């Protein structure tokens, strides 16, 4: 196996777990950090960034987080920006340390710290790379030993400079590195004291040190590394390169090439003595090599013999080429890891491996390298889970040139598996997962499937290419349909004999629950539209239904006085679990918290209940009728919509009032909280939908488009789309990013009282006073 690949393998085995643990620790620290613990100037940055993310400047650039994962990514970006701010402040004081003069006693560089700290000003901190070259002494060279050491440093620096200049240059806007060749005082410093001295002054800068040191017949190859705001440096010997063996092998290879020429000359009748004279050192080496082969065949352990082949500059250059490959592979891998972790940039080295590794390779070693990448990817899943399928696919493509396709196939399977998981599709045991992927593919997946097609083309898989092209064709049709419409009518469900008042969809996306003024609750199959069951056990007129996040509980609110109450059923069995009494007026709504622990019900007051036990926790007092409520994802805020045109915010755990939002000029019929927990949407009898900043209470925007009262509002699971229904018999679909009205769905002949969206965002369900339920397929 090529020496450079062996070195990269050892680096990955040693270094990947270290980086993975650093990423995980960073995640934990970020989650636990209290914003008040930051210095004042950092708190100002936090306030600015937070405010910018919360303000939804509609129609002027509606910058809303796409979904929960996007929010986590933005928090990660902010955290890294804060790290950079802190690092900059620390950098300014680094040279003011009282012990700086003592540190200079072990300073290994020809550059002063100020020259390094102030060398580059870019948006992204480049990884600074230092080369601590080896001092090699070898007998029988046709040059002096000191010249050899100097030449190795020059040749190695030039080779590494060429590689970094092509792929990771300082001018590279994506993956910049700053290679400071010649900065290392190679004749004076090596090992721990030098690394510690560097870290003490340069710990605000990301640094990679590539160090080689002669040790007998070997070169000890070490790396020193630290990223931004890293508490400790990483410094370890990752390989022992047998440099004498490499040079000797180069001499042997020259002897073998000479044997072919010698045999051709002998076949032409040339004199053997003259031929040997022409071959000179090659002829001498060949004679020694043939003896070695003869002794090996006789079972003699030639490793015990001191066989000295005559070497020359060509063998020395071969050693340099091996060292260049080793350094390039390691520098590329570490640069990739640094920019992936700190700057959200996908790795580039997998694309370069085919050109860097030219010899036959050990598949198990490549497997270890792939697993090293996966360790980093898995550590990043919390922040950048959406990236994993494409990163794994990139790795599969990098291994596609190998004759053994098993490794590429493993990475492809990992890519597809994570892609399916992102779409909440469990492990599917089928021979052809592309069939499953076709049904789940969205317009946003175009780039992924284009890269998947490139992979199948690289390995010559005609069937794979055909299937992916079918998926891309289906996506193209989706684009056409989206340009025409966002959704289309799939089913109309009839069965109720009274107006539909409320709708809920089970968390698994399989069941619709509808409540009606006909005093029944019906369960429907979302995919087929068929009726499953009817609950009509003395529930009275149903005003509201809600399903718990785990799908176990169904809560029903009755607005038929004096039977006003709340009932809790087991959804799967239809068994009545609780009847909650206490409301003196019609119950207008029920809602369950996202954590599934509490139930809120409302009439002229709101009562908070323990969903599992049925115990009352507290009561929230309103002066007028409450039509609806919504609870934030973290359970810290309950927003209630009232007939007095106001929206009130509460702490549902304590009953403490937090804020009152005023702005509507008619009764507020419905409220919904964005998945990010920062924004509230409200629909009113004044025909408008308003958007509010939950932290400040400020009104951010008003959607005006309905011609009658807005009865219901809800948000798509990915947080990108708002749905509203109205007494004008229509459903409107709004793009939250642009504020654009995407589509108006018509078909109901009466007021649309309720709408719900399936957990996968593929279906919209609407319930109307026309006694029908309509299922709309989202394109």
């Amino acid at each position: 196996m090529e020496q450079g690949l062996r070195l990269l393998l050892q680096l990955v085995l040693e270094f990947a777990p270290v980086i993975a643990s650093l990423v995980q620790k960073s995640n934990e620290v970020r989650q636990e950090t209290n914003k008040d613990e930051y210095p004042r100037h950092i708190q100002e940055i936090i306030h600015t960034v937070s405010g910018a993310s919360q303000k939804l400047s509609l129609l002027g650039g509606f910058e809303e987080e796409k979904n929960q994962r996007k929010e986590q990514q933005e928090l990660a970006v902010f955290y890294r920006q804060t790290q950079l701010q802190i690092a900059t402040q620390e950098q300014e004081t680094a040279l003011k340390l009282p012990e700086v003069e003592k540190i200079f006693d072990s300073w290994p560089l020809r550059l002063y710290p100020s020259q390094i700290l102030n060398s580059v000003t870019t948006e992204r901190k480049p990884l600074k790379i230092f080369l601590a070259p080896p001092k090699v002494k070898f007998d029988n060279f046709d040059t002096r030993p000191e010249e050899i050491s100097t030449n190795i440093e020059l040749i190695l620096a030039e080779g590494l400079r060429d590689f970094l200049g092509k792929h990771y240059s300082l001018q590279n806007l994506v993956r910049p590195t700053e290679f400071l060749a010649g900065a290392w005082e190679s004749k004076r410093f090596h090992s721990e004291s030098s690394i510690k001295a560097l870290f003490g002054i340069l710990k605000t800068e990301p640094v990679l040190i590539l160090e080689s040191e002669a040790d007998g017949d070997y070169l000890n190859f070490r790396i020193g590394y630290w990223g931004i705001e890293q508490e400790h440096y990483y410094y370890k010997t990752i390989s022992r390169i047998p440099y004498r063996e490499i040079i000797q092998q180069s001499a042997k290879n020259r002897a073998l090439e000479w044997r072919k020429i010698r045999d051709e000359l002998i076949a032409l009748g040339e004199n053997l003595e003259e031929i040997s004279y022409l071959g000179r050192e090659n002829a001498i080496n060949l004679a020694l090599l043939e003896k070695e082969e003869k002794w090996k065949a006789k079972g003699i352990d030639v490793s015990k013999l001191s066989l000295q082949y005559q070497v020359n500059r060509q063998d020395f250059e071969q050693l340099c080429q091996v060292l260049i490959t080793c350094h390039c592979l390691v520098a590329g891998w570490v640069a990739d890891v640094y920019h992936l972790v700190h700057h959200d940039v996908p790795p580039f080295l997998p694309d370069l491996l085919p050109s860097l590794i030219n010899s036959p390779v050990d598949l198990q070693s490549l497997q270890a390298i792939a697993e090293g990448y996966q360790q980093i990817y898995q550590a990043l899943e919390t922040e950048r889970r959406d990236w994993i399928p494409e990163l794994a696919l990139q790795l599969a493509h990098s291994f596609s040139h190998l004759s053994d396709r098993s490794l590429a196939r493993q990475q492809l399977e990992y890519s597809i598996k994570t892609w399916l998981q992102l779409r909440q599709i469990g492990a599917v045991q089928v021979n052809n997962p592309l069939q499953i992927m076709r049904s789940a593919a969205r317009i946003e997946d175009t780039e992924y499937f284009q890269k998947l097609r490139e992979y199948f083309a690289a390995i010559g898989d005609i069937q794979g290419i055909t299937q992916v092209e079918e998926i891309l064709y289906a996506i193209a049709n989706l684009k056409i349909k989206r340009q025409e419409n966002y959704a289309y009518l799939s089913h109309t469900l009839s069965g109720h004999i009274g107006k539909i008042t409320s709708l809920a969809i089970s968390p698994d996306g399989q069941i619709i629950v509808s409540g009606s003024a006909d005093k029944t609750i019906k369960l429907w199959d979302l995919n087929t539209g068929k009726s499953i069951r009817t609950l009509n056990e003395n529930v009275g007129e149903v005003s509201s239904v809600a399903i718990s996040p785990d799908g176990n509980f169904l809560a029903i609110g009755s607005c038929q006085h004096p039977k006003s109450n709340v009932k809790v059923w087991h959804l799967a069995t239809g068994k009545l679990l609780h009847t909650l009494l206490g409301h003196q007026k019609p119950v207008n709504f029920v809602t369950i918290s996202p954590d599934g622990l509490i139930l809120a019900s409302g009439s002229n007051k709101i009562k908070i209940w323990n969903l599992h036990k049925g115990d009352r926790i507290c009561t929230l007092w309103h002066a007028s009728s409450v039509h609806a409520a919504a609870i934030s994802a973290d359970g810290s805020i309950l927003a209630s919509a009232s007939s007095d045109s106001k929206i009130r915010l509460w702490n549902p755990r304590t009953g403490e009032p937090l804020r009152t939002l005023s702005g509507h000029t008619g009764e507020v019929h419905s409220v919904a909280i964005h998945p990010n927990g920062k924004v509230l949407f409200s629909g009113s009898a004044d025909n408008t939908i308003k958007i509010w900043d939950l932290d400040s209470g400020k009104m951010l925007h008003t959607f005006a488009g309905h011609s009658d009262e807005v009865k219901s509002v809800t948000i798509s699971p990915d947080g990108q789309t708002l749905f509203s229904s109205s007494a004008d018999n229509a459903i409107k679909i709004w793009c939250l990013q642009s504020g654009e009205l995407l589509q108006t769905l018509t078909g109901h002949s009466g007021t649309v009282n309720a709408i719900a969206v399936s957990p996968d965002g593929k279906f919209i369900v609407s319930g109307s006073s026309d006694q029908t339920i309509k299922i709309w397929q989202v394109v």
Side-chain angles (χ1 to χ4, degrees), residues 414-426:
Y414 175 52
S415 173
I416 291 175
K417 176 185 175 183
T418 52
W419 189 93
L420 291 171
Q421 288 174 343
L422 280 171
R423 280 138 191 87
Q424 298 179 339
I425 301 173

Side-chain angles (χ1 to χ4, degrees), residues 95-106:
L95 298 178
K96 301 177 183 179
L97 296 173
E99 64 270 21
V100 70
E101 294 297 331
K102 293 183 179 179
I103 291 176
F104 282 158
D105 293 340
S106 299

Side-chain angles (χ1 to χ4, degrees), residues 175-404:
R175 303 174 186 86
T177 66
E178 185 177 14
F179 180 42
L180 298 169
W184 200 272
E185 287 275 13
S186 57
K187 296 180 181 180
R188 295 179 56 203
F189 297 103
H190 275 81
S191 299
E192 283 80 359
S193 62
S194 299
I195 303 300
K196 193 173 185 66
L198 280 174
F199 182 72
I201 295 294
L202 302 180
K203 63 182 178 181
T204 61
E205 305 298 303
V207 169
L208 169 65
I209 298 133
L210 301 170
E211 179 186 84
S212 310
E213 189 173 41
D215 181 12
D217 292 342
Y218 293 85
L219 291 176
N220 292 328
F221 191 97
R222 306 185 185 102
I223 71 163
Y225 171 81
W226 56 88
I228 297 173
E229 284 299 294
Q230 200 167 305
E231 295 180 1
H232 307 285
Y233 58 82
Y234 173 86
Y235 180 65
K236 194 165 186 177
T237 299
I238 61 172
S239 184
R240 283 170 56 81
I241 301 174
Y243 75 91
R244 287 182 181 270
E245 179 184 318
I246 293 170
I247 294 178
Q248 292 276 355
Q249 186 60 51
S250 176
K252 291 180 184 181
N253 291 339
R254 287 191 295 106
L256 291 172
E257 292 174 2
W258 166 249
R259 181 157 60 186
K260 295 177 184 177
I261 298 173
R262 182 201 66 179
D263 292 346
E264 291 174 357
L265 292 173
I266 291 175
L268 293 174
E270 299 295 339
N271 182 276
L272 181 59
E273 185 176 345
E274 291 181 1
I275 294 173
S276 298
Y277 175 77
L278 292 173
R280 298 183 183 178
E281 66 184 26
N282 284 333
I284 295 172
N285 285 342
L286 179 57
L288 184 57
L289 178 61
E290 289 176 338
K291 286 182 181 181
E292 183 179 345
E293 291 173 343
K294 177 182 176 182
W295 293 335
K296 280 184 178 179
K298 296 295 183 180
I300 297 174
D301 185 0
V302 296
S303 66
K304 305 296 183 183
L305 304 176
S306 180
L307 301 176
Q308 292 293 332
Y309 289 86
Q310 293 192 13
V311 298
N312 62 18
R313 182 173 294 277
Q314 187 177 345
D315 306 313
F316 160 75
E317 290 173 352
Q318 179 61 32
L319 170 64
C320 288
Q321 189 55 53
V322 171
L323 293 178
I324 288 171
T325 301
C326 292
H327 282 69
C328 290
L329 286 169
V330 170
W333 198 84
V334 175
D336 275 354
V337 168
Y338 163 70
H339 284 293
L340 175 63
V341 171
H342 293 287
H343 298 132
D344 297 333
V345 176
F348 188 51
L349 186 63
D351 294 338
L352 303 177
L353 281 178
S355 62
L356 290 173
I357 302 172
N358 300 314
S359 62
V361 295
D362 177 0
L363 197 64
Q364 290 183 340
S365 298
L366 280 176
Q367 175 69 47
I369 292 173
E371 289 175 357
Y373 273 105
Q374 284 186 211
Q375 287 185 55
I376 305 297
Y377 297 163
Q378 288 166 358
L380 293 167
E381 280 191 6
T382 300
E383 297 177 5
R384 282 155 277 187
R385 193 179 175 195
D386 289 342
W387 284 22
I388 308 304
E390 287 197 27
L391 291 173
L393 182 58
Q394 177 195 36
L395 207 54
H397 201 290
S398 300
F399 296 140
S400 63
H401 71 287
L402 300 174
S403 57
D404 188 326

